[in-house]
Amino acid sequence: WARDYLRKNGRNIDGRVLNDLAEMTGYDMQNLMTELEKLISYTADRPAGAAITGDDVESICSRTLNDRVFEMMSRKLQGQTAKALEMLEELFALRNPPMRILYIIVRQYGQAYTLKDLQRAGMNDAQIMDRMQIRDWLLRKLKDQTRNCSLTELRERLEQCAEMETRVKNGDMSDRLAVEILIAN
């Protein structure tokens, strides 16, 4: 659909670039349409049939909160804690609610844990995608994100998330501090 829409407006897009766009903006059709319109306007000075590049997508398109948190978690799991904390501060500066960020972090760790557990059980990629109800691009991203993590480490991180959430709900800690601790530790 998106490729056809771009063609009707005198643009082309490579399949990989289109996948990157969809991953970045999410699968909400209204959001995707908005980003396509931005890309068409951004490339208006190019001749008809010109290709939209990955650089165009990176330059002009807005990332979803889920995508930003996923990238932050990737940095954290790769040992780049300082970069992850910098990204968290950007999320706070954009006025994203700390509890929403915490929810997405918990979901990310949950998906990562499930992936590792299913891999340990000997399932292949097709079985994992079916069981987790995810697409192939997300599976690739999760596998890359968790390459250096153990099942035990992910379980400990999920337990820490549960503890932080409980402390926030009991009023023992601010939601922002809880998220900062999760990323810093």
Side-chain angles (χ1 to χ4, degrees):
W1 169 84
R3 186 175 283 144
D4 289 342
Y5 183 79
L6 288 171
R7 280 190 190 127
K8 288 177 186 173
N9 286 280
R11 295 290 166 261
N12 284 313
I13 192 165
D14 177 74
R16 178 88 173 140
V17 175
L18 183 57
N19 281 341
D20 291 346
L21 173 65
E23 288 175 33
M24 180 186 293
T25 61
Y27 285 89
D28 176 286
M29 295 298 277
Q30 185 62 40
N31 191 35
L32 185 56
M33 175 62 95
T34 300
E35 298 305 322
L36 291 173
E37 289 293 334
K38 285 169 39 178
L39 285 165
I40 291 165
S41 296
Y42 183 70
T43 60
D45 61 340
R46 297 182 190 164
I52 291 175
T53 66
D55 288 340
D56 297 331
V57 171
E58 282 292 324
S59 296
I60 199 74
C61 294
S62 303
R63 293 184 174 275
T64 64
L65 177 59
N66 287 340
D67 188 56
R68 289 173 186 238
V69 172
F70 192 96
E71 178 65 24
M72 179 183 69
M73 297 304 299
S74 292
R75 299 295 177 124
K76 171 67 180 157
L77 292 172
Q78 294 168 357
Q80 299 174 9
T81 303
K83 180 63 178 170
L85 284 167
E86 182 182 309
M87 294 174 82
L88 179 62
E89 287 306 314
E90 289 174 13
L91 293 174
F92 289 149
L94 293 170
R95 299 182 189 257
N96 288 295
M99 286 304 286
R100 177 73 180 139
I101 296 169
L102 178 59
Y103 168 78
I104 297 170
I105 290 171
V106 169
R107 190 182 70 207
Q108 286 300 126
Y109 278 138
Q111 285 183 323
Y113 180 84
T114 300
L115 170 65
K116 284 291 193 180
D117 191 39
L118 295 175
Q119 286 176 322
R120 184 181 53 86
M123 289 189 174
N124 65 36
D125 287 354
Q127 292 169 318
I128 292 171
M129 287 186 299
D130 185 54
R131 176 76 61 93
M132 291 180 68
Q133 304 271 314
I134 60 174
R135 297 175 190 259
D136 59 339
W137 60 267
L138 181 54
L139 177 64
R140 283 191 307 274
K141 285 177 73 169
L142 284 169
K143 286 171 84 172
D144 185 52
Q145 185 182 59
T146 61
R147 184 178 321 122
N148 299 320
C149 298
S150 70
L151 193 62
T152 302
E153 178 186 355
L154 292 169
R155 183 177 52 248
E156 289 170 357
R157 291 183 186 276
L158 278 169
E159 289 169 357
Q160 186 182 31
C161 287
E163 177 188 342
M164 291 296 130
E165 187 174 3
T166 299
R167 292 179 73 183
V168 168
K169 289 180 178 177
N170 287 339
D172 298 334
M173 180 182 292
S174 74
D175 51 0
R176 181 179 172 135
L177 179 61
V179 175
E180 289 171 337
I181 288 172
L182 284 173
I183 299 301
N185 289 341

